[in-house]
């Protein structure tokens, strides 16, 4: 198979879909890999390292998209990339379609087979290709919050850890999934005053066993969330419904009641965000202030630590890339229902129920295609 790796074009996105090590593995199995020049240069993965691994260097994204049978990316394709996709091509990347009708329509119009990292599942029912970036984003969310709490960055002027005689920052974490637990780990390490919400009692029990009275755990209840958010210095939005739009747990009225200079970090912004006041931002312009509250809503947070993120992501995605290359899309999807759960669009048809529900579109389950 001919596999293409274009350079990412999203704002300040320096991750890359395959490492030289991945390229070497694919080439040794007889596949051809086309890598756009400069795709990994910003994170120390030189064109020469890709060439030495067996890749063919390509000057433009247009040529990569034209020649490749499978495109392996990191972030959702931008409009100009969607326009270059073609029928019978495989796209394997993050998609986050639920809050993005334009991208959904563009992918359907392309005729390509589009598989989303974020909905591929594991035998344990987890999301193995989302987890590495959720770990990174969860840890980064506390770094971002600590930075933007500083008065010079528009915040309240609170030190996350406090000092002897002065209280630490109060942090509310909404969601105890991978993002929430990683945010929690960092916040505990910094000595913050933390509470975390979730609807999974077993997760809350695990957190209680691990951290004891250093963390307060709450079952997600709208009244309790409102009370805790009003008193918080920082609120981390870490709620995920796989493939679906994130639930908006914090309303504009709740944000109005927060302290002036408090910080919200909406890690769920890729799926629409869990704050009513959220809108996507970029690393170039990461925050905005609304109702006196600093909003950090960067849609590709792990891109800021792009080298770490690239290796963490490709460690997880490479076995699936290998399976798609060795077997072809239809066979790989037919024999692996976990990979099949990642199929969002196939030959112009939407195959994701959560996306269809979010956008009120018709859909056909992937199983129906293979049954036919």
């Amino acid at each position: 198979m001919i596999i293409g790796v274009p350079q990412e074009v999203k704002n300040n996105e320096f991750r890359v879909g395959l490492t030289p090590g991945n390229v070497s593995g694919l080439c040794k199995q007889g596949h051809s890999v086309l890598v756009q020049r400069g795709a990994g240069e910003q994170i120390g993965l030189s064109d020469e390292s890709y060439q030495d691994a067996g890749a063919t260097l390509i000057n433009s994204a247009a040529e990569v998209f034209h020649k490749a049978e499978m495109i392996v990316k990191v972030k959702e394709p931008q409009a100009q990339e969607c326009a270059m996709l073609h029928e019978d091509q495989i796209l394997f990347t993050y998609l986050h379609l639920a809050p993005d009708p334009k991208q959904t329509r563009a992918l359907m119009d392309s005729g390509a087979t589009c598989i989303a990292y974020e909905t591929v599942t594991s035998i344990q029912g987890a999301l193995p290709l989302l987890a590495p970036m959720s770990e990174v984003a969860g840890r980064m969310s506390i770094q971002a919050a600590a930075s933007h709490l500083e008065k010079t960055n528009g915040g309240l002027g609170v030190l996350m850890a406090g000092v002897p005689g002065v209280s630490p920052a109060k942090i509310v974490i909404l969601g105890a999934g991978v993002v929430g637990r990683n945010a929690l780990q960092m916040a505990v390490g910094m000595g913050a005053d933390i509470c975390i919400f979730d609807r999974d009692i077993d997760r809350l029990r695990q957190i209680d066993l691990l951290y004891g009275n250093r963390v307060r755990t709450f079952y997600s209840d709208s009244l309790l969330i409102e009370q805790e958010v009003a008193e918080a210095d920082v609120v981390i939005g870490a709620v995920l419904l796989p493939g679906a739009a994130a639930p908006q747990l914090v309303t504009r009225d709740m944000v109005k009641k927060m302290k002036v200079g408090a910080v919200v970090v909406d890690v769920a912004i890729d799926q629409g965000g869990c704050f009513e006041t959220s809108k996507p931002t970029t690393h170039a312009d990461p925050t905005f202030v609304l109702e006196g509250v600093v909003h950090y809503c960067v849609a590709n947070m792990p891109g800021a630590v792009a080298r770490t993120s690239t290796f963490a992501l490709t460690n997880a995605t490479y076995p699936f890339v290998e399976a798609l290359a060795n077997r072809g899309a239809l066979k790989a999807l037919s024999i692996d229902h976990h990979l099949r759960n990642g199929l969002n669009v196939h030959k112009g048809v939407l195959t994701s129920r959560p996306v269809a529900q979010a956008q009120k579109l018709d859909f056909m389950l992937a199983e129906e295609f293979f049954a036919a």
Side-chain angles (χ1 to χ4, degrees):
M1 183 178 284
I2 303 172
I3 301 153
V5 182
Q7 186 172 12
E8 296 293 321
V9 296
K10 192 162 186 171
N11 181 283
N12 281 278
E13 182 53 75
F14 305 115
R15 288 174 288 181
V16 62
L18 293 174
T19 66
N22 301 149
V23 170
S24 176
L26 291 166
C27 290
K28 286 176 181 176
Q29 295 178 69
H31 304 294
S32 299
V33 183
L34 313 178
V35 177
Q36 185 179 353
R37 290 185 185 276
E41 287 281 0
Q42 295 292 329
I43 57 171
L45 302 179
S46 67
D47 288 345
E48 290 74 18
S49 67
Y50 280 104
Q51 201 163 28
D52 291 345
T56 300
L57 298 178
I58 302 295
N59 291 324
S60 70
E63 190 176 355
V64 172
F65 275 83
H66 176 69
K67 292 182 176 179
E69 297 169 277
M70 175 164 63
I71 298 291
V72 179
K73 280 177 41 63
V74 177
K75 287 306 292 177
E76 70 277 1
Q78 304 302 289
Q80 67 268 36
E81 295 176 306
C82 289
M84 292 187 284
L85 288 166
H86 51 81
E87 195 172 349
D88 297 325
Q89 194 169 47
I90 305 165
L91 173 65
F92 194 34
T93 188
Y94 287 117
L95 293 177
H96 301 294
L97 291 181
D100 194 347
K102 287 185 178 179
Q103 187 199 167
T104 302
R105 175 47 57 190
L107 295 183
M108 292 170 68
D109 289 345
S110 74
T113 296
C114 306
I115 305 168
Y117 292 161
E118 72 271 13
T119 57
V120 173
T121 56
S122 71
I123 194 168
Q124 295 85 11
L127 303 172
L129 308 191
L130 186 62
M133 296 304 92
S134 295
E135 291 167 346
V136 172
R139 295 179 185 210
M140 287 186 67
S141 69
I142 301 301
Q143 292 182 190
S147 174
H148 288 93
L149 268 179
E150 295 173 10
K151 194 64 181 174
T152 50
N153 289 330
L156 187 58
V158 172
L159 180 65
M160 187 73 79
V163 292
V166 182
S167 297
K170 179 174 180 180
I171 299 180
V172 174
I173 301 173
L174 302 175
V178 178
V179 171
R181 293 196 303 273
N182 277 271
L184 177 63
Q185 181 181 343
M186 293 291 286
V188 168
M190 294 180 77
D193 175 5
I194 314 152
C195 70
I196 187 165
F197 285 84
D198 203 274
R199 288 192 168 185
D200 187 329
I201 295 296
D202 286 335
R203 282 184 185 172
L204 297 179
R205 286 195 182 104
Q206 291 167 5
I207 289 168
D208 183 69
L209 286 171
L210 185 61
Y211 295 107
N213 60 10
R214 288 179 291 172
V215 177
R216 290 175 294 131
T217 59
F218 292 113
Y219 182 81
S220 287
D221 171 278
S222 58
L223 183 59
L224 272 175
I225 289 173
E226 183 173 0
Q227 291 172 352
E228 292 294 328
V229 165
E231 298 174 6
D233 298 306
V234 173
V235 183
I236 306 294
V239 181
L240 173 71
L241 298 178
Q248 291 189 343
L249 299 184
V250 180
T251 66
R252 190 183 189 106
D253 284 342
M254 291 164 68
V255 172
K256 285 181 182 178
K257 295 175 184 175
M258 292 179 68
K259 303 171 185 175
V260 173
V263 176
V264 301
V265 180
D266 198 344
V267 187
I269 194 65
D270 275 332
Q271 294 295 126
C274 56
F275 297 82
E276 186 181 1
T277 48
S278 289
K279 62 182 180 181
T281 61
T282 66
H283 288 293
D285 188 15
T287 63
F288 61 92
V289 178
L290 197 59
E291 307 294 354
V293 174
V294 179
H295 289 63
Y296 182 98
C297 306
V298 175
N300 59 327
M301 288 177 64
V305 287
R307 185 177 175 92
T308 295
S309 296
T310 290
F311 283 94
L313 177 61
T314 56
N315 287 345
T317 58
Y318 179 71
F320 294 95
V321 172
E322 197 175 55
L324 287 164
N326 288 339
R327 297 169 178 157
L330 292 183
K331 186 173 182 181
L333 290 166
S334 66
I335 65 177
D336 184 348
H337 75 274
H338 295 297
L339 180 60
R340 191 163 66 244
N341 287 336
L343 185 66
N344 277 212
V345 176
H346 180 60
K347 293 187 179 296
V349 178
L350 185 62
T351 58
S352 168
R353 186 193 301 272
V355 174
Q357 290 173 337
Q359 299 182 20
K360 297 180 172 57
L361 297 174
D362 294 331
F363 74 102
M364 179 182 290
L365 291 175
E367 285 76 10
E368 296 178 42
F369 274 110
F370 295 102

